[in-house]
Amino acid sequence: MEGNSPRQQLIMTLARQLGSVTVDDLALRFDVTPQTIRKDLNELCDAHLLARTHGGAMLSSGVENLAYEARRLMAATEKVVIGRHAAKLIPNNCSLFINIGTTTEEVARSLVHHEGLLVITNNIHVATILMPRPKIEVIVAGGMLRKTDGGIVGEAAVDFIAQFKVDHAVIGASAVDEDGAMLDFDYREVRVAKAIMRNARNAMLVADAMKFTRTAPVRIGHLTDVDVFVTDRAPPEPVVAYCRDNGVRLEIADELAGNDNAMDAAE
């Protein structure tokens, strides 16, 4: 941070707390013009400390994920829309895995009125959301509880998941690369996610459009490993092409339009 102005240092502090910042909010907070804030953000992005987003910037990805609360706040509205859409694709009276992630938690919130579900999860928050529902059975994976976000990871969790063969899996990712790679930060979490995909008849990736602009060092798998990809905006063209060419059903959740749009990649 040496060489950055005091205002830019405060902007970085806010970005670390919230995950992302907007030009309008920062201009109001610091009582300066939007043009001044855009200059600050451009300089921070040039230094690879932030990455530009529509109307602002987000903490630049590296080898460490954002804090749980920051991830929960980022693209919060979009995650709710994705969660509602994904839940519509899951029928009553089925079994499913739900793994770690703030987007998968929104799927769980939209499943609370389903009936006859058996949910196996390594996400304490998902278990808490679904536990009170009388017509949903919840099984929690054993293993090491990651205090930062309530995820259960490690070899014990992998072995536990391997005992099941379920109808559906709902997985998240920290980043989706243009080459179709699904990426994350913790190799222990990735091992559990891979086990989940291996032991589900149908796998669904849920990820907001910000994940197209991020990077992470550990490979979960490839888009071709899933059957359905639910997001809130059309991905970059190479990602769309991977889905189209490999029979991955691309679903664009669009609540503002009053409906949800499906792009059948197999067509």
Side-chain angles (χ1 to χ4, degrees), residues 169-247:
V170 180
I171 65 167
S174 293
V176 179
D177 200 86
E178 282 202 356
D179 69 0
M182 303 183 297
L183 305 169
D184 221 310
F185 291 91
D186 188 337
Y187 73 93
R188 299 167 302 172
E189 178 179 341
V190 165
R191 286 182 63 91
V192 179
K194 287 182 175 180
I196 284 173
M197 287 192 293
R198 282 196 305 269
N199 292 283
R201 296 180 182 89
N202 296 281
M204 179 192 304
L205 172 67
V206 290
D208 65 84
M210 273 193 177
K211 304 299 169 62
F212 306 138
T213 65
R214 301 185 69 197
T215 61
V218 188
R219 180 186 291 267
I220 301 170
H222 194 272
L223 277 172
T224 55
D225 296 325
V226 303
D227 301 282
V228 182
F229 177 19
V230 182
T231 186
D232 60 296
R233 274 206 317 266
E237 181 53 36
V239 174
V240 175
Y242 274 115
C243 291
R244 181 181 60 243
D245 295 344
N246 293 278

